[in-house]
Amino acid sequence: MDVALVQYINRLCRHLAITPSRLHPHEVYLDPSDAADPRVACLLNVPVESLRLRFALLQSLNNSLESFFLPLVELRQTHTYQNSIAALLSEAKGLIFYDTKVTVMNRVLNATVQRTADHAAPEITLDPLEIVGGEIRSSENTYFCQAARQLSCVPSSQLCVKLASGGDPTYAFNIRFTGEEVHGTSGSFRHFLWQVCKELQSSALSLLLPCPSAAANRNKGKYILTPCPISYAEEQLLHFFGQLLGIAIRADVPLPLDLLGSFWKGLVGEPLDSEQDLQEADVLTYNYVKKFENVSVTDETELEALCAEISSQHHSGESPDSPSRPCCTFTYVTMTGEEVELCQGGRSLIVSWQNKDVYARAVRSLRLRELQNVECMTAVRAGLGSIIPLQLLTMLSPIEIELRTCGLPYINLEFLKAHTMYQVGLMETDQHIEFFWTALEMFTQEELCKFIKFACNQERIPFTCPCKDGGPDTAHVPPYPMKIAPPDGAAGQPDSRYIRVETCMFMVKLPQYTSLDVMLEKLRYAIHYREDPLSG
C-alpha cells in the first residue's frame, strides 16, 4: 500500500506543480477516476483519513532521508554487500518520493562537477548539408556519428558540468554549424539532441531496433538495443550514447526517446520479468511459448498445428517419419532475423511431446538474453558512468530514470502558462495573448510538441521547475520561462506578419492578431512550414 501511495503522491504533485514536502495531508484525496490506474487502485478501499495519516508518516520519513540520511549513505556498496544500508535502501526505494530522489541526485551532480568556469567548453562543428532534406546517405554523416568522432578525444571530465539553470546555462559542449550564423548556444545544443534522438530511432543508425511487438500492433514506436555481437566501433558508439544520456540529465533537456521498459531496467540493474517483459517486447513469441506450455497432453493435433505454424513463420522443414508433414526443430529466429540453434545440434533435434517444455524454455531464454543484451548495456552504462555517478541509479526505479532522462511525452499547458513571462508592456489579459492561449488549448498534443520544438528547439520540456520550492527569484530550469514579446519593428498590418522566435531564449515574438482564426492560422503555419529550425 505504501508503494502505491508514493506513486499516487508523485502523480498528484506533478499535477499540482509542488513537491510532496509542501503538500498538506488534507490535500490528499482519491477520485473514482483513479481506479483506471492499476498501480493505485488498491488505495480506493482505504479510508481517506488512514491515507492522510500514512502520507504524513511518509512525508516525515522523506524529509529526514533528504536532510540527514541519504547524504551519508555509501551507495556504491549496494551490490557488494547484501546487508549494507545501501542494499536495504535499494529495496525500500519504493517508499521514497521522486522529488526527494531528484533533489539528492541534483546535489550529487553539482558536487561532482569537473569542468569549472575557468575552462572553455569543448566545441564541435557539424555539417547540416550531410542531412539536408532529412535523407541521410550514410550513418557516418549523421549528427550522432559526427559528434562521436569529434568528442572521442575530449576527456569525459570536460563534459561533467553543473546542472543547467538560469538564462545562460552551461552545457557539456558548444555546437557550431557549418555555414550557419547562430547566436547563443542553447538553441543549437537542444536542436542537436533532438536530431540525434531522431537519428537513433531511424534506419540511419543500427544501435536501436524497433520493438518486435509492433508487428502485432503493440508498443508501436518503442525501441530496444539491437541484440547482436558488436564491433569495437559499435561499442564506442554505444559508449557515446550512454554519455549523451548523462549529458541530457545534467542539461535538464528531456530526450524524445521511446525506449522499452526492459532498457531502463537494464540501465538501473533490475532483473527482467520473464513474463511481462517478454510479452511487452515480443508478444508473438510470448504467445508461442505459452501455447507450448499449455498444449493439452492428449491433443496431438494441437501440437502439430503449432509446430506447423512456427515452421511456416520461421523456416521450412519436414518430419523424417512423415515427409509431407512440417516439423519444428530446436531453432528459432532472433530479433534481428537470424536463425540460431537453441542447443548444440538443434537443427537436427525435432520438437516432440517429450521435449516441448524444454523447447519453450529455450525460446524464452533466448529472448530474455536478447533483451538483457549484456554486452551492449555494459557499453551504455560505461558511457553514462563517465558523466554521472552510477551509484545514483540505486535509488531510482526504471520508470523514474526514464522520467529523469526523457521527461513526459506530452505538454502540460497549465504548467507552461504558469511559467511564462510577458515582456515590453504585454499583459496576460491582452486580447491577442488570450487568442494565443485559446489557440494552444485547441491544439492536439502532436501540435503542442511541434510548437515547443518551434519555440525552443526541443520536443519535450521539463515537467518540474525549482521555482515551485522558492520565491520569484529562484532560478528556473531551462528553457523556462517562456517569454512572449512584441514583434521586431512596427511596419505592416499585424495580420500580415508572421510569428518569430528566439530559440535560445524560448522567446515568442507575437504580432497583435485581430482574431482567433488568424492566430490559429499563423501558429499552424509556423509549426508546420518553418524551414530553418535554428532561426525560428
Side-chain angles (χ1 to χ4, degrees):
M1 185 186 84
D2 286 333
V3 173
L5 181 57
V6 167
Q7 292 174 343
Y8 170 72
I9 295 298
N10 287 337
R11 192 179 68 186
L12 178 63
C13 288
R14 279 200 297 271
H15 175 70
L16 298 176
I18 61 174
T19 60
S21 61
R22 296 180 61 204
L23 184 68
H24 193 278
H26 286 289
E27 294 178 278
V28 176
Y29 60 91
L30 283 175
D31 192 86
S33 61
D34 293 316
D37 188 345
R39 294 175 298 177
V40 300
C42 62
L43 302 176
L44 292 175
N45 296 324
V46 180
V48 67
E49 285 303 319
S50 298
L51 288 178
R52 289 170 176 171
L53 288 172
R54 200 66 185 176
F55 165 67
L57 175 63
L58 289 169
Q59 190 180 48
S60 177
L61 170 66
N62 276 262
N63 289 339
S64 298
L65 288 174
E66 179 182 326
S67 303
F68 307 110
F69 185 72
L70 286 176
L72 303 177
V73 178
E74 173 55 271
L75 295 174
R76 285 178 294 185
Q77 304 302 320
T78 306
H79 302 293
T80 307
Y81 301 105
Q82 297 300 315
N83 294 320
S84 65
I85 294 177
L88 297 175
L89 181 65
S90 178
E91 292 180 11
K93 60 186 174 185
L95 303 179
I96 307 176
F97 295 129
Y98 176 74
D99 282 274
T100 301
K101 297 175 183 179
V102 169
T103 299
V104 174
M105 186 177 187
N106 289 348
R107 287 176 186 167
V108 174
L109 292 178
N110 280 329
T112 53
V113 170
Q114 298 187 57
R115 193 185 84 210
T116 62
D118 300 334
H119 295 84
E123 183 175 274
I124 62 174
T125 302
L126 303 177
D127 187 357
L129 293 179
E130 297 290 355
I131 61 169
V132 68
E135 181 179 348
I136 302 173
R137 293 177 292 277
S138 168
S139 61
E140 295 296 314
N141 299 332
T142 60
Y143 279 179
F144 182 87
C145 289
Q146 289 185 58
R149 285 195 300 270
Q150 295 179 55
L151 290 172
S152 61
C153 57
V154 175
S156 59
S157 60
Q158 293 300 299
L159 306 177
C160 297
V161 296
K162 66 178 182 179
L163 285 170
S165 64
D168 187 22
T170 301
Y171 291 122
F173 50 86
N174 295 334
I175 297 171
R176 187 166 62 87
F177 291 96
T178 303
E180 295 274 0
E181 187 65 34
V182 179
H183 299 285
T185 59
S186 299
S188 55
F189 181 80
R190 293 195 289 258
H191 174 67
F192 163 77
L193 290 180
W194 174 82
Q195 177 64 31
V196 160
C197 291
K198 185 179 176 182
E199 293 169 353
L200 284 166
Q201 298 175 132
S202 72
S203 58
L205 294 169
S206 59
L207 300 183
L208 299 180
L209 182 76
C211 176
S213 283
N217 291 320
R218 182 169 184 157
N219 286 322
K220 275 192 170 182
K222 294 285 187 180
Y223 289 80
I224 60 173
L225 287 176
T226 302
C228 63
I230 55 175
S231 63
Y232 175 75
E234 290 168 329
E235 183 181 5
Q236 294 302 105
L237 291 179
L238 287 166
H239 184 274
F240 181 60
F241 175 46
Q243 285 187 315
L244 283 181
L245 296 180
I247 287 169
I249 289 174
R250 285 189 178 272
D252 247 329
V253 177
L255 298 177
L257 286 173
D258 292 308
L259 301 173
L260 205 61
S262 56
F263 171 86
W264 302 108
K265 282 188 175 182
L267 201 63
V268 300
E270 276 197 13
L272 298 183
D273 186 309
S274 60
E275 292 287 330
Q276 181 182 356
D277 288 315
L278 176 58
Q279 187 176 21
E280 290 295 313
D282 190 351
V283 67
L284 296 178
T285 294
Y286 173 81
N287 289 338
Y288 283 143
V289 169
K290 298 306 288 185
K291 287 177 182 178
F292 268 103
E293 291 175 344
N294 299 327
V295 67
S296 173
V297 178
T298 59
D299 194 346
E300 186 175 348
T301 306
E302 185 179 354
L303 180 62
E304 288 182 5
L306 188 55
C307 289
E309 183 180 356
I310 292 181
S311 297
S312 63
Q313 289 284 337
H314 298 147
H315 66 280
S316 298
E318 294 181 344
S319 171
D321 299 328
S322 179
S324 62
R325 188 178 69 188
C327 72
C328 179
T329 61
F330 268 66
T331 60
Y332 204 72
V333 175
T334 65
M335 291 183 180
T336 55
E338 178 188 1
E339 185 181 83
V340 296
E341 292 184 326
L342 298 175
C343 63
Q344 189 172 3
R347 284 189 173 84
S348 58
L349 182 60
I350 297 175
V351 178
S352 63
W353 279 109
Q354 290 74 24
N355 60 21
K356 68 178 182 64
D357 290 333
V358 177
Y359 176 77
R361 286 196 297 270
V363 171
R364 185 192 295 272
S365 178
L366 170 67
R367 278 294 185 265
L368 290 176
R369 286 198 307 273
E370 289 182 296
L371 284 177
Q372 289 168 340
N373 205 349
V374 175
E375 188 178 14
C376 293
M377 184 56 71
T378 299
V380 173
R381 280 175 56 88
L384 178 63
S386 69
I387 306 298
I388 69 172
L390 281 182
Q391 58 264 33
L392 290 174
L393 303 184
T394 297
M395 300 186 298
L396 300 176
S397 68
I399 292 177
E400 288 169 339
I401 185 61
E402 180 182 12
L403 205 57
R404 185 69 176 88
T405 309
C406 300
L408 295 171
Y410 59 85
I411 305 300
N412 184 336
L413 207 54
E414 288 301 318
F415 189 81
L416 178 62
K417 194 172 183 178
H419 292 78
T420 297
M421 293 174 56
Y422 304 94
Q423 299 188 328
V424 198
L426 295 184
M427 299 179 65
E428 189 176 358
T429 54
D430 292 346
Q431 188 179 49
H432 72 294
I433 300 296
E434 292 180 347
F435 288 154
F436 172 76
W437 289 113
T438 302
L440 291 187
E441 288 169 1
M442 297 170 67
F443 275 12
T444 63
Q445 275 296 323
E446 182 182 0
E447 289 176 316
L448 284 175
C449 289
K450 287 184 176 180
F451 167 74
I452 293 299
K453 178 65 178 73
F454 167 70
C456 69
N457 259 334
Q458 61 187 75
E459 200 170 272
R460 300 180 185 181
I461 49 179
F463 60 87
T464 184
C465 187
C467 64
K468 66 186 178 184
D469 282 330
D473 295 331
T474 305
H476 292 274
V477 61
Y480 297 120
M482 182 171 76
K483 306 165 191 69
I484 299 181
D488 297 325
Q493 293 295 320
D495 287 355
S496 65
R497 307 190 69 175
Y498 293 96
I499 300 172
R500 300 282 295 177
V501 295
E502 298 287 347
T503 56
C504 289
M505 302 171 61
F506 198 6
M507 178 183 289
V508 181
K509 296 181 177 180
L510 194 66
Q512 292 184 349
Y513 296 129
T514 57
S515 70
L516 176 60
D517 289 338
V518 175
M519 180 67 74
L520 279 167
E521 177 191 347
K522 297 297 185 180
L523 275 172
R524 287 197 166 111
Y525 178 86
I527 66 175
H528 289 295
Y529 299 105
R530 60 182 173 80
E531 294 182 358
D532 187 352
L534 296 178
S535 68

